[in-house]
Amino acid sequence: MIAAIGGLRRPDGAAKLTGAADYAADTPVDGVTHAALVPATVATGRIAHIDTAAAVRAPGVLAVLTHTDMPRLKTIGSPPLGQSVLPLQDDTVRYEGQPVAMVLAETFEQARRGAELVRATYADVAVPRAFGDGESVTPRPGLISGNPAGRVGDVEAGLAAATTVVTATYTTPNRHHSPMEPSATVASWHGDQLTVHESTQWVFGTQMALAAAFDLPADHVRVVCPFIGGGFGCKGFVWPHTLLAAAAARVTGRPVKLVLTRAQMFTSCGHQPATTQTLTLGTDDDGRLTAVRHHSVNPTSTFDDYAENATGGTRWMYASPAIDVAVLVEHTSRQTPTPMRAPAEGLGMFALESAMDELAYALRMDPVELRLRNEPAVDPMTGQPFSSRPLPDCLRAAAQRFGWSGRPAEPRSMRDGDELVGWGMASVTMDTFRLPSSARVRLQADGRTIVEAGTQEIGTGLPGVLTTIAAQTLGVDPGSVEVHHGDTDLPETSGTFGSSATMGVGSAVAAAATELRDKLDALAGTGAYPRRLADAGLDSLDAEARWDPAERGEGRSIHTYGAIFVEVRVDPDLGLVRMPRCTATYAAGRIINPLTARSQMIGGIAWGYGQAMLEESILEPQLGRFLSKNMAGYLVPVCADIGDIDVSFIEDPDTDASPLGAKGIGELGAVGVSAAIANAVFHATGIRVRDLPISIERLLNPVWDAPTPTTRP
Ligand code: MOS
């Protein structure tokens, strides 16, 4: 059954729209000092000399810090740090854009000018290590999500038994998160107490990293983050600028504000690494998979192994007696990459769902039917039962809403005037990250209910979700609920990543509200709760609870699913691709607030469109430098790029995932879009684009590979 769209409007919407909402850099601080970073201009080498004389003499400049006078910081490791290398600790340059100095001045402009006047010279400058030149190696444990390698059955035997085999290589480019709000830190010390206002997806991770860096107990560090102007993963971990601002505040004895420039956002808080993925699928005559092999390699820094777990979804997506997945990394001269919405599956499902489309053509089978035929009864790699597996429902519902049944199978068979028209589809999945969290709920005699949780509001609408949960649990009006969030002084929560906040923080709020309801029910009287509090002579009553995901779901394969169908129109002379409409149906646990959930999926699809059509950060191999560090050179979609988006949800409460039945949705919408578009482009043009983005030059000058599907006689 398709769930209806309704729900609570964002309680913080008006404040954000009118500019009343405070973001980190808006924090008013008396006597604040402004910091500006000096980035390294080489990708590998050693700092020979830093001439700070001109900067120190410049108007308003208070100090210039380099590796020679920077306090020595202690590390806590990654995560919560985004990378293992700490800033300004030695003279080694490991990536272009690495901070080599920091200028502190009375105003923002004076700090920027001072930074321009710092002259660094470098020695031992070598040719950077570029992706594709080196060796692919097994990642060392560390900054890895999931299980990079795994095998079940005998893939070689499965391929030998197959009558149709498709094998192809797919690539995705380096991408940057490019949130509207650049990363920013405002740090103030009061004795040995540190307060930091930060744009972060993880206030408690920031607290941990800062406490470790300055050798303080955690409760001496308070991190505040009321709102985030977009994060998408680049604010998930703690990056050098946060440590630098806190160190500068300690050195100068004044509060310090550090806001990264747009250009610095390309070298300071990670990026999504390129992937090169090879997929081999074998089937019998009926289109049943006999073997699946999916290997991926991605570049990482020279000093950390960040493995992009692109083969993740392939582990549980389709039934096959033999599956072999592996992720390798290559050490290159760049900053350590980091997760970006949607990491892992967002990249891997481009390859898998493109290959499934190629297989459908080789078999002359409808691509939806091919997927339905390979629907597994249990998790194909672990043998575990699925907590829920409504993928077929999503496929059927979305196909019907889209009108898929009228599709002619042949490429280049639909035309409208001069435009070629194509329809394509893809399955969608995302892993389910379940993270522990705490929350406190307080009911006051004045009729207000206060929800308190340290968690961050990244823009998904979490305050509305928590309001809904508290109001439903206590049976009070949502308008009487206030949510306080974004502060390490509030109950501890996990980071806002892995699409986990509704499930984790929401379950904690539900548990606290349930406990509070029981306490309120134990009061004398029968009237409304505030009245009963007053009668009992109480101003307020509260309850705090922690939700631990270990309490349930053991031995279950827990994921979210969906299906997306798109129509593209291609101008064959200009290579232009438009997406006038798309239909997507998702199964992602119980949907708490359908209004903001739908917005999440629309945003995810727009994000996936960007992956398919526009986004690419070219890393110049000789310089080891991202070429276009601005929003003119890094293209993201605008409203005019995208037509009608039809989003629906299957009702799929999953109590193996959480007591609320909720799972995660934040990243799911970004998955599968690029494959559906590439498949639609093939249907429109007969050109198979296996390298993202699907740029004009790729469509006008296609690489006409030897046909990859091979059908044995
Ligand atoms: Mo997300 S890439 O888990 O912030």
Side-chain angles (χ1 to χ4, degrees), residues 287-325:
R288 292 202 163 75
L289 289 163
T290 57
V292 174
R293 178 184 287 139
H294 186 178
H295 289 182
S296 179
V297 56
N298 66 265
T300 184
S301 61
T302 51
F303 45 94
D304 289 315
D305 288 8
Y306 172 81
E308 187 65 52
N309 191 21
T311 61
T314 305
R315 293 170 162 266
W316 62 81
M317 210 54 201
Y318 299 116
S320 173
I323 302 176
D324 166 18
V325 295

Side-chain angles (χ1 to χ4, degrees), residues 498-686:
S499 306
S500 64
T502 291
M503 182 174 23
V505 188
S507 293
V509 169
T514 304
E515 222 177 287
L516 176 59
R517 194 185 57 205
D518 293 345
K519 284 191 191 178
L520 290 162
D521 286 340
L523 292 175
T526 53
Y529 287 146
R531 182 62 196 269
R532 285 161 72 175
L533 277 181
D535 288 350
L538 295 170
D539 288 336
S540 70
L541 202 56
D542 66 23
E544 183 166 338
R546 180 169 189 274
W547 179 63
D548 183 350
E551 63 155 48
R552 64 183 66 217
E554 177 71 27
R556 300 277 160 161
S557 182
I558 305 176
H559 313 285
T560 50
Y561 297 95
I564 180 163
F565 292 71
V566 309
E567 176 175 315
V568 298
R569 305 212 156 207
V570 183
D571 181 324
D573 298 319
L574 299 178
L576 284 173
V577 178
R578 297 274 177 209
M579 183 174 77
R581 69 186 183 104
C582 87
T583 289
T585 301
Y586 299 102
R590 186 179 141 224
I591 300 301
I592 306 288
N593 186 348
L595 193 67
T596 45
R598 177 170 171 270
S599 298
Q600 270 301 291
M601 306 328 273
I602 290 173
I605 290 169
W607 189 262
Y609 177 91
Q611 179 195 18
M613 301 306 307
L614 299 169
E615 286 186 59
E616 175 169 28
S617 274
I618 294 170
L619 196 130
E620 206 288 317
Q622 302 301 313
L623 299 170
R625 194 184 283 188
F626 289 114
L627 280 181
S628 299
K629 296 177 196 160
N630 55 61
M631 298 310 290
Y634 188 81
L635 302 185
V636 296
V638 297
C639 291
D641 283 316
I642 297 172
D644 292 336
I645 298 179
D646 166 42
V647 169
S648 53
F649 293 98
I650 298 270
E651 288 195 11
D652 170 43
D654 186 344
T655 49
D656 281 325
S658 70
L660 289 170
K663 291 199 270 196
I665 61 167
E667 296 169 297
L668 183 67
V671 181
V673 188
S674 54
I677 292 175
N679 296 342
V681 166
F682 178 77
H683 186 235
T685 64

Side-chain angles (χ1 to χ4, degrees), residues 177 201 231-234 236 338-343 458 496-499 667:
H177 310 72
Q201 295 171 229
F232 312 113
C234 74
T338 208
M340 170 168 147
R341 181 197 199 187
I458 194 177
T496 301
F497 35 63
S499 306
E667 296 169 297

